[in-house]
Amino acid sequence: MSRTPAHRSRVVVIGAGIVGCSLADELTARGWTEVTVLEQGPLPAPGGSTSHAPGLVFQTHPCKTMTEFAAYTVRKFGSLAADGLPCFLPVGGLEVATTEARWADLHRKAGLAASWGVRGALLTPQQCTKLWPMLDGTRLHGGFHTPDDGLARAVPACRAQIARAESRGARFLDRHTVTGIDKADGRITAVVTDRGTFPADHVVSAAGFWGPVIGAMAGVDVPLLPLAHQYATTSPLPELAGPHAPGTEALRPILRFQDRDLYFREHLDPAGGRLGIGSYAHRPMPVDPCTVPAYDQAPDMPSSLPFTEEDFAPSRQDALDLLPALAGATVERGFNGVFSFTPDGMPLLGESRELRGFWLAEAVWVTHSAGAAKAVAEWMTDGRPAADLHACDLARFEDAQRSPAYVADRGAQNFVEVYDVIHPLQPLEHPRPLRTSPFHPRQQELGAYFLEGGGWERPHWYEANAPLADGIRLPERDAWSARYWSPIAAAEARATRERVALYDMTPLRRLEVTGPGALDFLQHMTTNNVRKKPGAVTYTLLLDESGGIRSDLTVARLGLDRFQIGANSPSDLDWLLRHAPAGVHIREVTSGTCCIGVWGPLARDLVQPLTRDDFSHEGFGYFRARQTYVGHVPVTALRLSYVGELGWELYTTADLGLRLWDTLWEAGREHGVVAAGRSAFNSLRLEKGYRAWGVDMTDEHTPYEAGLGFAVRRDKEFLGRAALDDDAPLTRTLTPLLLDDPAAVVLGQEPVYDDNAVAGYVTSAAYGYTLGRCIAYAWLPPLAPGTGVHIEYFGARLPATVAEEPLFDPKMTHILT
């Protein structure tokens, strides 16, 4: 927290683009009036990405948070005006499909819009051409129309927010180039410019593609790649001429032709109308922010680079094919505009742990600008944002994902795929493989099909198990749900239920917490009671101050002052380090260790002969830990199961991982052991109702809503306890659904309808091979078991029924044996 009273905190915002201006407005509206915004260029159009942005706002996004950001941008800018003209033009949006794949994807996108509360409708080709008469309707399969989308007038929106923020006490200083960041004792103290030094309790880098430059001054990593993107404006078009009110910039919806990586918007003026064409179809053009010229040295503006006509030529032809009226038009003006990409295409928001008081609000496009600024302002003034920001948290990346080479590779790939049809399981292709477990050679020998997550190669199934799938009858899948899936997963799930399987759990994050204050620290930070004797394992939650679920953990007490934590993301480590007192040491040990999950009814038969310790149920109970040996390998054994079967997680150091695998594999041959992948694992964990943090629940949800009240000890104090109302009636719950049709499959994020109205959305979904039905967990109002609902999947309403938990083995006989 600031050393000064919160409302007197001195804030310096670096950058007066749309994000910096929006943030100053949001902060001053919350009573933080000592806000200074520094800008190196002239106001109100200083030459960054905002100054050239075409202003497209399409609200629908696979991420619920990003959709909420865009929706707030629409609402806020829709309430602002500059020079008597609105700062948002609600012309709507229209995405057209010229391929079957895109038309199917628009059905999926319509489902996303319904899940997140965005109005939208699928249109016929004739309806599309009515909205956009220039379209060649014969090429279309249809379109998706979102009437509340539109155009943000970014520079006027900046002006309007500058005026409001200044009226509350903020000051905006242009022509101030930041040259340094002062700090002391791990905290920000001031921003140094070529025109003086500005003391600060908080500094926010909203510098856009200059973010890495500012970050370097502060000693804070900003994994962001600036890339140039082509935009061309045509000569006047007769089809766009006609009467329109003074100041009208556009009348028709924003048009996206994503099959060819293009978008279009009108530019109307009294002399007629032109068409703006944006293209992502060209080669990636990375830009070094350190070499971008200053405003006065730039031919146009710093963010506007010379137009490369040869890169635009294919896009010009693609535009002509869709809009034949462009045949007589020329490119009257074109430029390559610079903007920001991150390794996962998401913003960078939050406060640095290494330099307290230094915040990032970077990699935010105009589309999400007001919403992201609101979230950061809430975070600064209230201690937490109202929205779930785990996908935007600056601490979310692994160390292996922060190298300049990785940021460059992934950023460029995100540019290439920005308009592609992306499957939720689809991995980026480069650089791979990056992180592999010690078991990787054996997995390759078994024909593992790898997908990627957090840089890790993760087996999803093994071709060696294909013969086991013979004779298993499964419903035929549609093309979408069949991608990155194999019926082999069903065989691996059956082998886990009937015999024993080895699962590579190495990518699960492991933290070591030690020191004389470790127990008290973890007791304070988590919801469950970890004050147990060494050898105990506890499932527990991390909450924020408002009672939202930041993560779920397993805490194994291995000694009086030594704990092993099973965590989720790098943000968990960041959160614990922020709160750790002196004398408590927290270390990530994931990369130096590995883990095999040995699960199935024959797990004990496999493991017991390999160790001298007692692995019986009486000798090694559920949720217990033991340090022992398996063959020649020292292991930490935790009796846990995330697949609903008897078994253990076996941890050892990375150098002994291959020996551990071989030992278990050889001993397991007589028991029919198989290697099993993430696809089977996800099915089995959903049959038991085990939640996945970041998918099924986030800090927007309380433990009671998520069905995790059993992990909350009501008789102890912990971080977030004061915000929990143990007896409050629930207005929403994480609800298990079983699809009625055994052949139906959904994948997640689909809308759920109750009485023909959207009641919620699916989080996790997978086919339950043991149950013979697809399982879908969804956030819904409380509904009684047996209640019928419908899940919309690619436009079809699939009947489903609310089920009781757990769906499989309610008496726990499979685990407690």
Side-chain angles (χ1 to χ4, degrees):
M1 296 297 294
S2 171
R3 296 169 181 168
T4 58
H7 68 284
R8 298 300 306 276
S9 291
R10 298 164 300 177
V11 180
V12 174
V13 178
I14 301 173
I18 191 64
V19 177
C21 292
S22 296
L23 180 59
D25 183 48
E26 296 287 340
L27 286 171
T28 55
R30 288 165 173 77
W32 282 30
T33 57
E34 294 192 30
V35 176
T36 300
V37 182
L38 302 175
E39 173 53 60
Q40 62 183 345
L43 290 173
S49 301
T50 299
S51 300
H52 71 246
L56 280 65
V57 179
F58 279 88
Q59 297 173 81
T60 307
H61 191 283
C63 175
K64 176 173 173 283
T65 298
M66 295 294 277
T67 299
E68 290 171 350
F69 283 175
Y72 183 77
T73 300
V74 167
R75 294 195 302 273
K76 182 175 185 180
F77 291 177
S79 70
L80 296 176
D83 298 328
L85 298 175
C87 293
F88 180 78
L89 308 176
V91 295
L94 177 64
E95 301 176 52
V96 294
T98 59
T99 64
E100 288 284 357
R102 182 68 60 180
W103 182 226
D105 190 59
L106 292 186
H107 282 75
R108 184 178 70 95
K109 186 167 287 184
L112 283 173
S115 290
W116 310 148
V118 177
R119 287 202 304 152
L122 293 164
L123 304 184
T124 65
Q126 294 75 22
Q127 290 171 314
C128 291
T129 55
K130 187 174 182 180
L131 287 173
W132 258 93
M134 292 171 63
L135 283 167
D136 179 0
T138 64
R139 299 199 59 204
L140 303 184
H141 291 269
F144 178 51
H145 180 226
T146 45
D148 299 323
D149 291 340
L151 293 166
R153 300 176 64 238
V155 172
C158 285
R159 289 168 49 208
Q161 292 178 103
I162 288 172
R164 294 207 312 192
E166 286 181 332
S167 72
R168 303 184 191 113
R171 55 178 178 166
F172 288 74
L173 304 177
D174 61 2
R175 300 290 189 174
H176 282 64
T177 300
V178 175
T179 59
I181 303 291
D182 285 349
K183 46 197 171 181
D185 301 323
R187 282 201 63 90
I188 200 84
T189 59
V191 176
V192 182
T193 76
D194 58 352
R195 298 176 66 180
T197 298
F198 297 83
D201 303 301
H202 296 274
V203 172
V204 185
S205 177
F209 63 80
W210 285 284
V213 178
I214 301 301
M217 295 180 191
V220 174
D221 180 41
V222 180
L224 176 159
L225 178 70
L227 286 157
H229 157 60
Q230 290 199 303
Y231 192 79
T233 307
T234 69
S235 55
L237 295 167
E239 291 80 4
L240 300 183
H244 50 265
T248 302
E249 290 188 18
L251 292 171
R252 293 175 178 84
I254 314 160
L255 179 64
R256 287 208 285 191
F257 180 24
Q258 293 175 297
D259 287 323
R260 290 295 183 269
D261 297 316
L262 294 172
Y263 64 81
F264 308 86
R265 63 149 292 182
E266 290 179 301
H267 291 278
L268 304 180
D269 58 49
R274 295 165 173 79
L275 199 62
I277 306 172
S279 172
Y280 292 96
H282 54 81
R283 61 191 169 89
M285 303 178 190
V287 175
D288 183 350
C290 296
T291 64
V292 174
Y295 187 91
D296 293 325
Q297 281 71 52
D300 184 4
M301 64 177 78
S303 65
S304 180
L305 304 182
F307 190 62
T308 50
E309 293 188 14
E310 64 277 12
D311 290 305
F312 190 72
S315 293
R316 187 184 187 284
Q317 184 59 51
D318 288 334
L320 178 61
D321 291 343
L322 184 72
L323 304 168
L326 293 176
T330 61
V331 173
E332 193 170 79
R333 177 179 182 268
F335 66 94
N336 293 354
V338 184
F339 65 149
S340 304
F341 277 82
T342 58
D344 59 4
M346 298 291 283
L348 298 169
L349 307 179
E351 182 187 19
S352 167
R353 177 173 47 81
E354 293 84 2
L355 182 58
R356 303 305 297 270
F358 185 79
W359 296 75
L360 294 185
E362 298 290 11
V364 180
W365 297 0
V366 170
T367 304
H368 310 104
S369 55
K374 172 178 175 285
V376 173
E378 290 170 340
W379 207 342
M380 294 175 70
T381 60
D382 301 334
R384 76 179 296 272
D388 161 42
L389 296 190
H390 83 273
C392 308
D393 190 338
L394 62 90
R396 69 187 180 272
F397 293 116
E398 307 280 353
D399 288 344
Q401 297 173 304
R402 291 181 170 274
S403 71
Y406 186 95
V407 173
D409 285 348
R410 295 294 202 183
Q413 190 68 21
N414 269 302
F415 178 90
V416 170
E417 296 180 347
V418 70
Y419 275 177
D420 286 2
V421 177
I422 303 294
H423 192 278
L425 291 176
Q426 181 173 330
L428 292 170
E429 295 184 2
H430 303 288
R432 289 183 66 193
L434 180 64
R435 307 176 78 186
T436 59
S437 81
F439 322 129
H440 192 252
R442 299 294 182 264
Q443 293 166 343
Q444 289 178 305
E445 292 168 6
L446 293 169
Y449 185 89
F450 293 101
L451 297 179
E452 182 262 358
W456 287 101
E457 294 296 315
R458 303 185 181 202
H460 274 242
W461 64 84
Y462 294 85
E463 287 297 330
N465 295 325
L468 301 178
D470 293 342
I472 296 179
R473 301 188 62 177
L474 296 171
E476 185 175 347
R477 291 204 171 202
D478 65 279
W480 187 251
S481 64
R483 289 183 68 182
Y484 307 107
W485 173 83
S486 168
I488 296 171
E492 294 174 359
R494 174 181 286 184
T496 308
R497 291 276 187 245
E498 296 179 353
R499 299 191 305 279
V500 61
L502 305 184
Y503 288 82
D504 181 1
M505 306 304 289
T506 301
L508 294 183
R509 185 166 310 279
R510 291 173 290 287
L511 310 177
E512 182 182 79
V513 182
T514 59
L519 174 59
D520 289 339
F521 169 64
L522 291 173
Q523 187 75 343
H524 168 68
M525 293 297 295
T526 67
T527 60
N528 214 337
N529 179 34
V530 298
R531 197 179 296 280
K532 300 173 183 175
K533 293 179 180 179
V537 182
T538 306
Y539 177 80
T540 187
L541 307 173
L542 286 179
L543 304 186
D544 63 19
E545 292 86 349
S546 298
I549 304 171
R550 281 195 60 94
S551 190
D552 63 340
L553 312 175
T554 53
V555 178
R557 192 176 189 186
L558 303 181
L560 289 176
D561 300 320
R562 184 162 68 92
F563 296 82
Q564 178 176 301
I565 310 297
N568 287 295
S569 78
S571 297
D572 294 346
L573 174 62
D574 183 76
W575 179 256
L576 292 171
L577 287 171
R578 287 175 186 271
H579 291 85
V584 173
H585 306 285
I586 306 172
R587 184 169 67 100
E588 168 129 13
V589 297
T590 310
S591 297
T593 56
C594 57
C595 177
I596 299 176
V598 185
W599 290 312
L602 301 182
R604 184 175 286 116
D605 299 284
L606 191 163
V607 176
Q608 182 64 82
L610 300 174
T611 179
R612 295 183 180 181
D613 282 313
D614 182 2
F615 270 54
S616 70
H617 182 60
E618 295 75 20
F620 196 155
Y622 193 48
F623 268 82
R624 299 293 299 173
R626 175 176 295 167
Q627 292 182 292
T628 183
Y629 290 86
V630 171
H632 297 90
V633 180
V635 300
T636 299
L638 274 57
R639 189 172 169 198
L640 304 177
S641 175
Y642 286 96
V643 298
E645 295 293 336
L646 170 69
W648 291 265
E649 294 177 356
L650 301 178
Y651 298 87
T652 191
T653 52
D655 59 321
L656 291 167
L658 200 58
R659 183 59 177 263
L660 177 61
W661 180 282
D662 289 344
T663 299
L664 294 168
W665 187 259
E666 187 61 34
R669 288 181 183 275
E670 64 178 288
H671 304 294
V673 71
V674 303
R678 296 289 299 182
S679 187
F681 176 90
N682 197 46
S683 170
L684 295 169
R685 70 102 180 165
L686 281 176
E687 289 184 333
K688 282 299 291 181
Y690 294 143
R691 278 69 165 140
W693 184 85
V695 179
D696 296 317
M697 73 277 191
T698 69
D699 60 10
E700 289 186 347
H701 309 110
T702 71
Y704 305 125
E705 292 173 327
L708 298 175
F710 67 87
V712 177
R713 281 295 295 265
R714 301 188 181 196
D715 59 351
K716 80 162 200 171
E717 292 301 318
F718 51 82
L719 182 63
R721 179 70 182 95
L724 291 182
D725 186 343
D726 299 334
D727 301 313
L730 300 179
T731 59
R732 61 180 178 179
T733 61
L734 188 60
T735 305
L737 305 174
L738 285 176
L739 274 74
D740 294 351
D741 182 353
V745 174
V746 299
L747 298 183
Q749 297 186 316
E750 297 88 358
V752 180
Y753 288 81
D754 182 25
D755 289 335
N756 214 36
V758 176
Y761 60 91
V762 174
T763 57
S764 293
Y767 197 83
Y769 300 111
T770 315
L771 302 177
R773 291 285 191 281
C774 182
I775 305 161
Y777 271 78
W779 280 105
L780 294 169
L783 298 174
T787 302
V789 296
H790 287 82
I791 302 174
E792 183 178 296
Y793 181 72
F794 285 89
R797 300 280 178 90
L798 308 179
T801 302
V802 175
E804 284 195 80
E805 294 189 279
L807 305 174
F808 172 78
D809 189 25
K811 295 183 178 180
M812 300 285 283
T813 56
H814 285 244
I815 295 177
L816 302 180
T817 183

